[in-house]
Amino acid sequence: MAGPGGPPPPPFAAPPQIHRLLTLNAVAPVQLVRAALPGMLAAGKGTIITVASLLAFSGGLEGPRAPRRTLYAAAKAATVAFTRTLAGELADTPLRTQLLLPGVVATEWNEGAGRDIPWAMTPQDVAAASLAGLRLGETVCTPGLEGQAAALDALLAAESALVTGGNQPTPAARYRGPQA
């Protein structure tokens, strides 16, 4: 494994690799927020920024630009759900939250693989976009995405359709017929 977070190990990685990746990318953000939140609430101010990845939304994607990412995507998806849910639960407080969703960033992570990718963003641009997003009041910042509001509206609509439509007292018709 290279770098502090990996490269993302395959789904059959050794348990220590799995533990390390999930701890760094899913558990640590929750623990850090848990440690900081009481003080922020007591002070009546503060901002929580978590860093996930666009790969959190890549579970259904295939193709040459889709890296091996099973555990990494799962861990980052946990951070996405945690931060978006936390933002709703803190909405009536003076605290602010932001979920930062960069794409490929040109860093030393993964043996520096991102440095040579033409669509990689610099770490400085990611940080600047996050700060600009905070000034704009964004709870989600996707530095490279034009039309972010429309994409987030579509995501929320799809999530609502899944949760509302799937939360029924009986199985869907396709599971009840003779072919099921």
Side-chain angles (χ1 to χ4, degrees), residues 25-128:
N25 292 293
V27 177
V30 174
Q31 291 176 328
L32 290 168
V33 169
R34 184 181 186 279
L37 195 56
M40 290 179 172
L41 288 168
K45 63 182 179 178
T47 301
I48 296 165
I49 300 173
T50 60
V51 182
S53 169
L54 289 177
L55 287 178
F57 301 94
S58 70
L61 299 181
E62 297 177 11
R65 286 177 57 171
R68 292 186 74 135
R69 64 196 183 282
T70 302
L71 295 174
Y72 182 80
K76 292 302 187 177
T79 298
V80 168
F82 170 73
T83 308
R84 289 178 66 217
T85 305
L86 181 67
E89 292 178 0
L90 294 176
D92 293 333
T93 74
L95 302 187
R96 298 169 57 192
T97 61
Q98 184 189 73
L99 172 63
L100 180 57
L101 294 169
V104 178
V105 181
T107 67
E108 297 303 314
W109 182 81
N110 198 11
E111 299 176 350
R115 290 180 308 208
D116 298 324
I117 297 175
W119 60 87
M121 189 176 288
T122 67
Q124 295 81 2
D125 283 345
V126 172

Side-chain angles (χ1 to χ4, degrees), residues 130-161:
S130 174
L131 294 173
L134 285 173
R135 286 189 296 276
L136 293 169
E138 293 180 351
T139 58
V140 176
C141 173
T142 310
L145 180 62
E146 296 293 344
Q148 176 177 281
L152 291 174
D153 287 346
L155 176 62
L156 184 58
E159 289 172 330
S160 295

